[in-house]
């Protein structure tokens, strides 16, 4: 009998039944008054929960599209951008921006570390940058950037926007737009929101919206703020067909977040992340990210000496858990485990037990039950 499969990659993450039910509803016309009300309430909730006086855009697309949307509406040819990169996904901004003729400077850390704040401050003083980008949690490294400190620093440079990629952090790591001096926060639905892939979400603070006005007409069409803003204010209007059932699914996710409380959700992710990491270290894995900069939403786990990555992940899949492989220089040297969104204790305990069984089947010495014991001890303390 085949084991039930747990999807424990860094996204998509497991989808709860109530969200699945919204995906399976009979489709409605995008002009249906009840759908228009739902869409409008969702946009308002996202503004209130993430605390901005600016705007929110919820558009059919991916997190990568949201990255392009952020750049297209704030920067133009020959502008200067400073990219703070803690891994593979921080570097993604390079290609996006160079294609638009934007001059890019990159501050890169060693994988597992962060770019020091002094280095960022020194770079910002060297020339005028129209924007700074950082990925809050880079899934290639499991590093969490100190976005509040960076936001406070960038604030002192009046004409510089602070753009945060929150694809693997939003709804799992603490983020508040205006309080943290974030001008744009972008994300997708498939990670800490626990919704299938399909929607891009972007918050644009007042400073970002002012920049958009100054740009005038931009070359991009579908991702132009000006095309979508009338719909975000009044979803009964039409620009492009919204993903109706995806909007309902995200609305249900946000309802679950409201029931839990956003701060409580952040605390849950932090406790769960710490417990999972302690449990996995306890059975021989090492964590790539330095302890003070580890994400709560995923873990990037380095194998003990002599382990075969492909074989281990194959065995783990047979035990009912799907994880992701390492990227870049760490391909074959680690696996990446998501523990974000609406995963519960049953999912996490089952995942740890499956990892232990896969270790055993791969010939590694493992004290069966040890990681589960450590995890439960941390969670119940």
């Amino acid at each position: 009998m085949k084991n039930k499969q747990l999807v424990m990659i860094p996204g998509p993450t497991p989808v709860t039944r109530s969200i699945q039910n919204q995906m399976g509803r009979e489709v409605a016309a995008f002009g249906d008054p009840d759908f228009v009300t739902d869409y409008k309430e969702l946009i308002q909730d996202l503004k209130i929960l993430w605390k901005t006086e600016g705007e929110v855009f919820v558009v059919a697309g991916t997190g990568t599209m949201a990255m392009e949307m952020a750049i297209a509406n704030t920067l133009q040819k020959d502008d200067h951008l400073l990219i703070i990169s803690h891994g593979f996904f921080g570097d993604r901004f390079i290609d996006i921006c160079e294609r638009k003729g934007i001059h890019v400077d990159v501050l890169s850390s060693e994988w597992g570390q962060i770019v020091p704040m002094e280095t960022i401050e020194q770079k910002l003083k060297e020339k005028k940058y129209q924007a700074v980008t950082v990925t809050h949690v880079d899934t290639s490294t499991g590093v969490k950037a100190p976005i509040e400190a960076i936001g406070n620093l960038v604030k002192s440079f009046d004409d510089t926007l602070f753009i945060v990629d929150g694809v693997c952090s939003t709804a799992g790591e603490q983020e508040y737009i205006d309080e943290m001096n974030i001008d744009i926060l972008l994300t997708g639905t498939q990670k800490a929101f626990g919704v299938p892939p399909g929607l891009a979400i972007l918050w644009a603070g007042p400073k970002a919206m002012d920049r958009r006005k100054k740009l005038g007409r931009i070359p991009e069409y579908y991702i132009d703020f000006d095309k979508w803003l009338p719909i975000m204010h009044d979803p009964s209007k039409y620009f492009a067909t919204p993903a109706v059932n995806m909007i309902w699914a995200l609305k249900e996710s946000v309802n679950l977040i409201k029931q839990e409380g956003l701060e409580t959700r952040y605390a849950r992710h932090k406790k769960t992340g710490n417990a999972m990491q302690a449990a996995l270290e306890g059975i021989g894995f090492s964590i790539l990210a330095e302890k003070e900069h580890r994400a709560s939403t995923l873990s990037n786990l380095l194998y003990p000496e002599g382990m075969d990555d492909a074989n281990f992940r194959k065995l783990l899949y047979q035990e009912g858990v799907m994880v992701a492989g390492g990227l870049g220089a760490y391909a074959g040297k680690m696996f990446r485990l998501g523990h974000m969104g609406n995963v519960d204790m049953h999912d996490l305990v089952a995942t740890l037990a499956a990892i232990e069984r896969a270790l055993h089947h791969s010939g590694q010495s493992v004290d069966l039950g040890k990681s589960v014991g450590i995890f439960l001890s941390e969670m119940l303390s």
Side-chain angles (χ1 to χ4, degrees), residues 57-331:
F57 299 87
V58 181
V59 179
T62 64
T64 301
M65 191 195 79
M67 295 172 77
E68 289 208 63
M69 192 173 189
I71 298 301
N73 287 278
T74 57
L75 298 172
Q76 58 190 349
K77 181 178 169 60
D78 290 329
D79 277 351
H80 292 270
L81 171 69
L82 178 61
I83 296 172
I84 302 164
S85 178
H86 298 134
F88 179 88
F89 291 97
D91 288 348
R92 181 165 284 190
F93 276 110
I94 300 171
D95 196 13
I96 292 171
C97 293
E98 287 182 343
R99 287 165 181 260
K100 283 182 63 67
I102 295 163
H103 302 294
V104 169
D105 289 334
V106 184
L107 293 175
S108 297
S109 64
E110 291 293 322
W111 279 30
Q113 302 174 21
I114 65 164
V115 176
M117 290 299 301
E118 317 84 72
T119 304
I120 300 169
E121 183 173 13
Q122 181 181 345
K123 195 69 178 175
L124 283 169
K125 289 177 178 177
E126 288 180 7
K127 69 170 75 165
K128 180 179 176 179
Y129 289 100
Q130 277 69 41
V132 173
T133 64
V134 71
T135 299
H136 192 180
V137 171
D138 198 304
T139 59
S140 66
T141 60
V143 167
K144 177 173 66 176
I147 61 165
E148 187 167 14
I150 298 171
N152 286 333
L153 173 60
V154 174
K155 184 184 178 183
S156 62
F157 297 84
D158 291 340
D159 297 323
T160 304
L161 298 180
F162 184 36
I163 299 171
V164 177
D165 165 9
V167 171
C168 196
S169 57
T170 305
E173 304 279 4
Q174 191 174 67
E175 295 167 342
Y176 294 115
I177 314 302
D178 297 351
E179 287 182 10
M180 293 185 173
N181 301 303
I182 298 169
D183 296 302
I184 287 186
L185 174 66
L186 63 96
T187 193
T189 46
Q190 74 273 19
K191 295 183 184 275
F193 279 98
V195 175
L199 291 177
I201 310 166
L202 186 148
W203 291 260
K207 192 172 169 184
M209 294 306 298
D210 184 59
R211 174 71 63 80
R212 174 64 192 89
K213 288 178 186 175
K214 291 176 180 176
L215 290 182
R217 180 177 170 135
I218 63 173
E220 292 80 7
Y221 180 72
Y222 181 74
I223 56 175
D224 185 353
F225 284 179
D226 285 357
K227 294 293 185 182
W228 284 106
L229 195 58
I231 287 78
M232 298 303 105
H233 289 170
D234 179 4
S236 68
K237 295 180 179 178
Y238 175 77
F239 166 57
T241 304
V244 174
N245 290 62
M246 287 298 303
I247 297 293
W248 282 330
L250 180 58
K251 184 171 174 28
E252 174 60 17
S253 171
V254 170
N255 286 340
L256 294 175
I257 291 170
K258 288 164 66 178
Q259 290 168 24
E260 183 177 12
L262 189 52
E263 277 296 323
T264 303
R265 188 179 183 88
Y266 291 149
R268 169 171 65 82
H269 276 80
K270 185 174 182 179
K271 187 163 191 173
T272 298
N274 289 340
M276 288 295 284
Q277 289 160 5
L280 290 159
E281 286 180 311
I283 56 172
F285 293 101
S286 301
I287 297 170
L288 177 62
E290 293 177 330
K291 190 160 190 174
E292 59 271 30
H293 304 301
R294 287 179 187 170
S296 300
T297 50
L298 84 158
S299 298
N300 292 38
L301 299 146
L302 297 164
Y303 291 114
E305 190 68 32
M307 278 193 64
D308 180 85
D309 169 57
N311 183 56
F312 173 76
R313 287 193 288 121
K314 178 182 175 183
L315 290 169
L316 186 54
Y317 181 77
Q318 291 170 353
E319 291 296 331
V321 173
M322 181 76 174
V323 296
L327 296 173
Y330 287 91

Side-chain angles (χ1 to χ4, degrees), residues 336-353:
R336 296 177 298 137
L337 175 71
H339 35 73
M340 70 186 105
N342 299 317
V343 293
D344 60 23
M345 290 275 281
H346 299 285
D347 298 326
L348 298 168
V349 167
T351 296
L352 290 169

